[in-house]
Amino acid sequence: MSTIILDGRAPAQELRAELRADIAVFTEQYTHPPQLAVVQVQGDAASDRYVRSIRKICNTTGMAFHLAQLPTDTTQATLEQSLRQLSADPAVHGVLLQMPLPAPLSAEQAVLHLDYRKDVDGIHPISAGLLAQGRSTLVPNTPAGGMELLHHYGITLEGKRAAMVGRSAIVGRPMAALLLLANATVTLCHSRTLDLGAVLRECEIVAVAAGRPGLVTGDMLRPGAVVIDFGINVQDDGSITGDVDFAGAAEVAGAITPVPGGTGPVTNVMLLRSVLTAARNQEAARHS
Ligand code: NDP
């Protein structure tokens, strides 16, 4: 059986082109571009790289970008004030709170100061609650990218058995909710799941976000299963590996994402799409 490699780079390129066109239409209609503001507390090199990549994709698609950089010793009150200010600024349509935050700052507390209508990574409890109820909302970008990849490769979900390994608020739980919305029958697995392999072998779709390199091996998969690996684990030599043992899994799976080059490239594009959606909603409400 030949395994389909779910390459994220080609769809990301197509989606960027679509976004560029949609942003141009928005800008002409409202005489200003949609704007993303990123709030970043300094001091994390990986976060710096991510912010640079977001700035670049904003520049190439015509979206306005604002970076609110706060010093490492920022207080919780200053961080929350920054989120409130950006939430109240009509020129800003989307606000991304960049993780991780240095201790003792609390992201959970900070996010409560963000207007959920500008919560373009779907982390506010109102966004999460709406998604859990199957209602329209802004969705976390990583699982949105996973769903986009499945859609791009024509993988249908209705009636399929799907497992999500990992139950974080930013990847696992929203991905499980999105799979359910697509009418899959969903099992949400975690570190206390007994016999993970027995659960996964039942499933036609397996998505993984555990932060454990090589957690899912080929013998845990049903032949022909579709495997979405969200894992990003930096090895000692600096290389990146996923949560799935790619070589072993690819011998059994029908389709599988590589790491890197699978879900990753689609994630940033989903962020910009989310900002555009938020901007359209806000401008439509303002002009109605
Ligand atoms: P978290 O640490 O918040 O959550 C990990 C989840 O995995 C938990 O629910 C945990 O279970 C579960 N888990 C851990 N060990 C096992 C195990 N042995 N068996 C089954 N489940 C297990 O991680 P994140 O969700 O933030 O990130 C997960 C991975 O996804 C990381 O590699 C991260 O780098 C990557 N990631 C990728 C993104 C992307 O854009 N592609 C964005 C964000 C993250 P329990 O709840 O019981 O502790």
Side-chain angles (χ1 to χ4, degrees):
M1 180 173 46
S2 65
T3 307
I4 299 166
I5 303 299
L6 303 172
D7 180 0
R9 284 169 283 219
Q13 206 171 343
E14 278 175 31
L15 289 164
R16 266 196 304 274
E18 268 172 39
L19 255 174
R20 202 176 300 126
D22 291 345
I23 289 170
V25 170
F26 177 99
T27 306
E28 190 170 329
Q29 186 174 357
Y30 295 110
T31 65
H32 57 79
Q35 180 169 194
L36 167 66
V38 175
V39 177
Q40 184 195 29
V41 179
Q42 287 172 309
D44 185 82
S47 164
D48 287 343
R49 274 196 299 280
Y50 185 60
V51 170
R52 275 199 300 275
S53 74
I54 298 172
R55 184 195 290 272
K56 190 170 160 204
I57 180 174
C58 283
N59 289 342
T60 56
T61 52
M63 185 168 281
F65 175 87
H66 169 74
L67 178 60
Q69 255 185 345
L70 303 171
T72 320
D73 60 357
T74 293
T75 62
Q76 184 77 25
T78 307
L79 174 62
E80 292 171 0
Q81 170 67 6
S82 168
L83 292 171
R84 279 197 301 274
Q85 258 169 12
L86 292 166
S87 292
D89 183 345
V92 170
H93 301 99
V95 181
L96 179 75
L97 174 59
Q98 186 54 33
M99 311 285 182
L101 297 177
L105 296 177
S106 161
E108 263 180 33
Q109 283 304 314
V111 80
L112 299 175
H113 296 263
L114 178 61
D115 182 337
Y116 78 96
R117 288 163 295 198
K118 298 189 179 185
D119 171 28
V120 285
D121 204 13
I123 56 172
H124 192 288
I126 293 180
S127 312
L130 290 169
L131 178 61
Q133 290 186 346
R135 293 165 65 181
S136 172
T137 187
L138 299 168
V139 170
N141 300 301
T142 300
M147 295 300 287
E148 185 64 38
L149 212 49
L150 289 166
H151 175 72
H152 177 86
Y153 283 93
I155 294 163
T156 58
L157 297 167
E158 181 147 336
K160 304 246 177 94
R161 289 164 294 184
M164 175 69 232
V165 183
R167 56 177 165 180
S168 70
I170 193 71
V171 192
R173 284 173 202 260
M175 185 66 185
L178 291 169
L179 288 165
L180 186 60
L181 268 174
N183 293 321
T185 300
V186 183
T187 306
L188 186 48
C189 308
H190 45 77
S191 67
R192 314 293 167 84
T193 298
L194 296 178
D195 199 348
L196 184 62
V199 176
L200 302 189
R201 275 188 294 273
E202 294 285 315
C203 293
E204 288 89 13
I205 310 285
V206 172
V208 191
R212 300 277 182 278
L215 171 68
V216 172
T217 49
D219 63 309
M220 293 173 151
L221 297 171
R222 182 186 184 82
V226 174
V227 180
I228 302 289
D229 188 355
F230 291 112
I232 302 175
N233 305 294
V234 183
Q235 303 291 90
D236 291 342
D237 64 1
S239 63
I240 306 278
T241 183
D243 290 344
V244 177
D245 165 30
F246 182 84
E251 284 179 20
V252 185
I256 184 167
T257 53
V259 177
T263 62
V266 190
T267 301
N268 287 358
V269 194
M270 290 295 111
L271 169 65
L272 266 68
R273 189 194 268 183
S274 201
V275 178
L276 182 60
T277 302
R280 282 176 175 152
N281 292 344
Q282 286 158 44
E283 295 297 341
R286 222 167 269 156
H287 292 86
S288 67

Short mmCIF file of all heavy atoms in Angstrom, two decimals, residues 154-192:
data_model
loop_
_atom_site.label_atom_id
_atom_site.label_comp_id
_atom_site.label_asym_id
_atom_site.label_seq_id
_atom_site.Cartn_x
_atom_site.Cartn_y
_atom_site.Cartn_z
N GLY A 154 -8.74 15.87 0.76
CA GLY A 154 -9.99 15.17 0.45
C GLY A 154 -10.31 14.03 1.40
O GLY A 154 -10.99 13.07 1.01
N ILE A 155 -9.82 14.11 2.64
CA ILE A 155 -10.08 13.03 3.60
C ILE A 155 -11.40 13.32 4.32
O ILE A 155 -11.52 14.34 5.00
CB ILE A 155 -8.91 12.91 4.60
CG1 ILE A 155 -7.67 12.44 3.82
CG2 ILE A 155 -9.24 11.93 5.73
CD1 ILE A 155 -6.37 12.64 4.52
N THR A 156 -12.36 12.46 4.12
CA THR A 156 -13.68 12.69 4.72
C THR A 156 -13.67 12.16 6.16
O THR A 156 -12.92 11.24 6.50
CB THR A 156 -14.78 11.97 3.92
OG1 THR A 156 -14.46 10.58 3.88
CG2 THR A 156 -14.89 12.52 2.52
N LEU A 157 -14.49 12.77 7.00
CA LEU A 157 -14.47 12.44 8.43
C LEU A 157 -15.80 11.86 8.91
O LEU A 157 -15.84 11.16 9.92
CB LEU A 157 -14.13 13.70 9.23
CG LEU A 157 -12.73 14.25 8.95
CD1 LEU A 157 -12.58 15.65 9.51
CD2 LEU A 157 -11.67 13.33 9.53
N GLU A 158 -16.86 12.16 8.17
CA GLU A 158 -18.20 11.76 8.62
C GLU A 158 -18.26 10.26 8.90
O GLU A 158 -17.91 9.44 8.03
CB GLU A 158 -19.23 12.15 7.56
CG GLU A 158 -20.61 11.77 8.00
CD GLU A 158 -21.66 12.74 7.51
OE1 GLU A 158 -21.33 13.90 7.23
OE2 GLU A 158 -22.80 12.31 7.40
N GLY A 159 -18.69 9.92 10.12
CA GLY A 159 -18.88 8.52 10.49
C GLY A 159 -17.60 7.77 10.83
O GLY A 159 -17.65 6.63 11.29
N LYS A 160 -16.44 8.42 10.64
CA LYS A 160 -15.18 7.73 10.92
C LYS A 160 -14.89 7.75 12.42
O LYS A 160 -15.30 8.67 13.13
CB LYS A 160 -14.02 8.42 10.18
CG LYS A 160 -14.23 8.53 8.66
CD LYS A 160 -13.21 7.70 7.91
CE LYS A 160 -13.43 7.73 6.41
NZ LYS A 160 -12.65 8.74 5.73
N ARG A 161 -14.13 6.77 12.85
CA ARG A 161 -13.66 6.76 14.25
C ARG A 161 -12.35 7.53 14.31
O ARG A 161 -11.41 7.22 13.56
CB ARG A 161 -13.47 5.32 14.72
CG ARG A 161 -14.79 4.59 14.92
CD ARG A 161 -14.62 3.11 15.01
NE ARG A 161 -14.13 2.56 13.73
CZ ARG A 161 -13.96 1.27 13.48
NH1 ARG A 161 -14.21 0.39 14.42
NH2 ARG A 161 -13.52 0.86 12.30
N ALA A 162 -12.31 8.54 15.17
CA ALA A 162 -11.12 9.40 15.26
C ALA A 162 -10.63 9.45 16.70
O ALA A 162 -11.43 9.58 17.63
CB ALA A 162 -11.47 10.81 14.78
N ALA A 163 -9.31 9.34 16.87
CA ALA A 163 -8.72 9.51 18.21
C ALA A 163 -7.86 10.74 18.21
O ALA A 163 -7.13 11.01 17.25
CB ALA A 163 -7.88 8.29 18.56
N MET A 164 -7.96 11.52 19.29
CA MET A 164 -7.07 12.65 19.51
C MET A 164 -6.23 12.30 20.73
O MET A 164 -6.77 12.07 21.81
CB MET A 164 -7.89 13.93 19.74
CG MET A 164 -7.09 15.15 20.10
SD MET A 164 -6.09 15.74 18.70
CE MET A 164 -4.47 15.84 19.46
N VAL A 165 -4.91 12.26 20.56
CA VAL A 165 -4.02 11.95 21.69
C VAL A 165 -3.49 13.27 22.24
O VAL A 165 -2.73 13.96 21.54
CB VAL A 165 -2.86 11.02 21.27
CG1 VAL A 165 -2.01 10.67 22.49
CG2 VAL A 165 -3.38 9.77 20.59
N GLY A 166 -3.89 13.64 23.44
CA GLY A 166 -3.51 14.92 24.05
C GLY A 166 -4.77 15.75 24.24
O GLY A 166 -5.61 15.80 23.34
N ARG A 167 -4.89 16.39 25.42
CA ARG A 167 -6.13 17.13 25.73
C ARG A 167 -5.83 18.56 26.17
O ARG A 167 -6.52 19.09 27.03
CB ARG A 167 -6.91 16.38 26.81
CG ARG A 167 -6.10 16.13 28.08
CD ARG A 167 -6.93 15.45 29.15
NE ARG A 167 -6.09 14.90 30.20
CZ ARG A 167 -6.54 14.26 31.25
NH1 ARG A 167 -7.83 14.05 31.40
NH2 ARG A 167 -5.72 13.78 32.16
N SER A 168 -4.78 19.18 25.59
CA SER A 168 -4.49 20.56 25.96
C SER A 168 -5.58 21.48 25.41
O SER A 168 -6.26 21.15 24.44
CB SER A 168 -3.12 21.00 25.42
OG SER A 168 -3.19 21.11 24.02
N ALA A 169 -5.68 22.67 26.04
CA ALA A 169 -6.70 23.63 25.61
C ALA A 169 -6.38 24.20 24.24
O ALA A 169 -7.29 24.64 23.52
CB ALA A 169 -6.80 24.76 26.64
N ILE A 170 -5.12 24.18 23.84
CA ILE A 170 -4.72 24.85 22.60
C ILE A 170 -4.69 23.91 21.39
O ILE A 170 -4.85 24.33 20.25
CB ILE A 170 -3.35 25.58 22.79
CG1 ILE A 170 -3.04 26.55 21.67
CG2 ILE A 170 -2.20 24.63 22.99
CD1 ILE A 170 -3.89 27.78 21.67
N VAL A 171 -4.52 22.60 21.63
CA VAL A 171 -4.50 21.66 20.49
C VAL A 171 -5.52 20.52 20.66
O VAL A 171 -6.47 20.39 19.88
CB VAL A 171 -3.09 21.06 20.24
CG1 VAL A 171 -3.07 20.34 18.88
CG2 VAL A 171 -1.98 22.09 20.28
N GLY A 172 -5.32 19.67 21.67
CA GLY A 172 -6.10 18.44 21.77
C GLY A 172 -7.61 18.64 21.88
O GLY A 172 -8.39 18.08 21.10
N ARG A 173 -8.02 19.44 22.88
CA ARG A 173 -9.47 19.61 23.08
C ARG A 173 -10.15 20.26 21.87
O ARG A 173 -11.18 19.77 21.40
CB ARG A 173 -9.75 20.42 24.34
CG ARG A 173 -9.57 19.63 25.61
CD ARG A 173 -9.69 20.51 26.84
NE ARG A 173 -9.03 19.87 27.96
CZ ARG A 173 -9.64 19.20 28.93
NH1 ARG A 173 -10.95 19.11 28.93
NH2 ARG A 173 -8.96 18.65 29.90
N PRO A 174 -9.59 21.40 21.34
CA PRO A 174 -10.27 21.98 20.17
C PRO A 174 -10.25 21.06 18.95
O PRO A 174 -11.22 21.04 18.18
CB PRO A 174 -9.51 23.29 19.92
CG PRO A 174 -8.25 23.21 20.71
CD PRO A 174 -8.53 22.28 21.84
N MET A 175 -9.17 20.28 18.78
CA MET A 175 -9.15 19.36 17.63
C MET A 175 -10.25 18.30 17.79
O MET A 175 -10.94 17.97 16.82
CB MET A 175 -7.77 18.70 17.51
CG MET A 175 -7.60 17.83 16.28
SD MET A 175 -7.66 18.79 14.74
CE MET A 175 -7.59 17.49 13.51
N ALA A 176 -10.41 17.79 19.01
CA ALA A 176 -11.47 16.80 19.25
C ALA A 176 -12.83 17.43 18.93
O ALA A 176 -13.68 16.80 18.30
CB ALA A 176 -11.42 16.33 20.70
N ALA A 177 -13.02 18.70 19.33
CA ALA A 177 -14.30 19.38 19.08
C ALA A 177 -14.53 19.55 17.57
O ALA A 177 -15.64 19.39 17.07
CB ALA A 177 -14.32 20.73 19.78
N LEU A 178 -13.45 19.89 16.84
CA LEU A 178 -13.59 20.10 15.39
C LEU A 178 -13.88 18.78 14.67
O LEU A 178 -14.67 18.73 13.73
CB LEU A 178 -12.31 20.74 14.83
CG LEU A 178 -12.08 22.19 15.26
CD1 LEU A 178 -10.67 22.66 14.89
CD2 LEU A 178 -13.12 23.12 14.62
N LEU A 179 -13.24 17.69 15.13
CA LEU A 179 -13.50 16.38 14.52
C LEU A 179 -14.96 15.98 14.77
O LEU A 179 -15.63 15.45 13.88
CB LEU A 179 -12.55 15.33 15.11
CG LEU A 179 -11.09 15.45 14.67
CD1 LEU A 179 -10.17 14.61 15.57
CD2 LEU A 179 -10.92 15.00 13.20
N LEU A 180 -15.44 16.28 15.97
CA LEU A 180 -16.84 15.98 16.31
C LEU A 180 -17.80 16.80 15.44
O LEU A 180 -18.79 16.28 14.93
CB LEU A 180 -17.06 16.28 17.79
CG LEU A 180 -18.41 15.90 18.39
CD1 LEU A 180 -18.66 14.40 18.28
CD2 LEU A 180 -18.45 16.31 19.87
N LEU A 181 -17.45 18.08 15.25
CA LEU A 181 -18.28 18.95 14.40
C LEU A 181 -18.35 18.41 12.97
O LEU A 181 -19.33 18.64 12.26
CB LEU A 181 -17.68 20.36 14.35
CG LEU A 181 -18.19 21.37 15.37
CD1 LEU A 181 -17.40 22.65 15.28
CD2 LEU A 181 -19.68 21.64 15.12
N ALA A 182 -17.26 17.72 12.56
CA ALA A 182 -17.23 17.14 11.21
C ALA A 182 -17.87 15.75 11.20
O ALA A 182 -17.70 15.00 10.23
CB ALA A 182 -15.79 17.09 10.71
N ASN A 183 -18.55 15.41 12.31
CA ASN A 183 -19.31 14.17 12.41
C ASN A 183 -18.47 12.90 12.47
O ASN A 183 -18.92 11.82 12.08
CB ASN A 183 -20.34 14.06 11.28
CG ASN A 183 -21.42 15.11 11.43
OD1 ASN A 183 -21.85 15.40 12.53
ND2 ASN A 183 -21.83 15.71 10.32
N ALA A 184 -17.23 13.04 12.97
CA ALA A 184 -16.46 11.83 13.32
C ALA A 184 -16.93 11.37 14.70
O ALA A 184 -17.54 12.14 15.44
CB ALA A 184 -14.97 12.15 13.35
N THR A 185 -16.64 10.12 15.02
CA THR A 185 -16.91 9.60 16.37
C THR A 185 -15.59 9.67 17.11
O THR A 185 -14.63 9.00 16.73
CB THR A 185 -17.42 8.14 16.28
OG1 THR A 185 -18.62 8.16 15.49
CG2 THR A 185 -17.70 7.56 17.64
N VAL A 186 -15.54 10.52 18.14
CA VAL A 186 -14.23 10.95 18.66
C VAL A 186 -13.91 10.37 20.04
O VAL A 186 -14.75 10.39 20.94
CB VAL A 186 -14.18 12.50 18.76
CG1 VAL A 186 -12.82 12.97 19.23
CG2 VAL A 186 -14.53 13.12 17.40
N THR A 187 -12.68 9.88 20.19
CA THR A 187 -12.16 9.47 21.50
C THR A 187 -11.00 10.39 21.85
O THR A 187 -10.09 10.57 21.03
CB THR A 187 -11.64 8.00 21.45
OG1 THR A 187 -12.68 7.17 20.96
CG2 THR A 187 -11.21 7.54 22.82
N LEU A 188 -11.05 11.00 23.01
CA LEU A 188 -10.00 11.92 23.45
C LEU A 188 -9.09 11.19 24.44
O LEU A 188 -9.52 10.81 25.53
CB LEU A 188 -10.64 13.17 24.09
CG LEU A 188 -9.77 14.33 24.48
CD1 LEU A 188 -8.80 14.73 23.38
CD2 LEU A 188 -10.63 15.53 24.84
N CYS A 189 -7.83 10.97 24.04
CA CYS A 189 -6.89 10.19 24.86
C CYS A 189 -5.92 11.12 25.59
O CYS A 189 -5.69 12.25 25.16
CB CYS A 189 -6.08 9.24 23.97
SG CYS A 189 -7.08 8.21 22.90
N HIS A 190 -5.31 10.62 26.65
CA HIS A 190 -4.39 11.43 27.46
C HIS A 190 -3.44 10.50 28.19
O HIS A 190 -3.45 9.29 27.94
CB HIS A 190 -5.19 12.32 28.40
CG HIS A 190 -6.31 11.59 29.08
ND1 HIS A 190 -6.09 10.74 30.12
CD2 HIS A 190 -7.64 11.54 28.78
CE1 HIS A 190 -7.24 10.22 30.49
NE2 HIS A 190 -8.20 10.67 29.67
N SER A 191 -2.67 11.07 29.14
CA SER A 191 -1.62 10.27 29.77
C SER A 191 -2.17 9.15 30.65
O SER A 191 -1.44 8.22 30.99
CB SER A 191 -0.69 11.17 30.59
OG SER A 191 -1.39 11.71 31.69
N ARG A 192 -3.44 9.23 31.03
CA ARG A 192 -4.01 8.16 31.88
C ARG A 192 -4.79 7.14 31.06
O ARG A 192 -5.42 6.25 31.63
CB ARG A 192 -4.94 8.75 32.94
CG ARG A 192 -4.41 9.96 33.67
CD ARG A 192 -3.21 9.62 34.55
NE ARG A 192 -2.56 10.85 34.99
CZ ARG A 192 -2.92 11.58 36.03
NH1 ARG A 192 -3.92 11.19 36.76
NH2 ARG A 192 -2.27 12.67 36.34
#
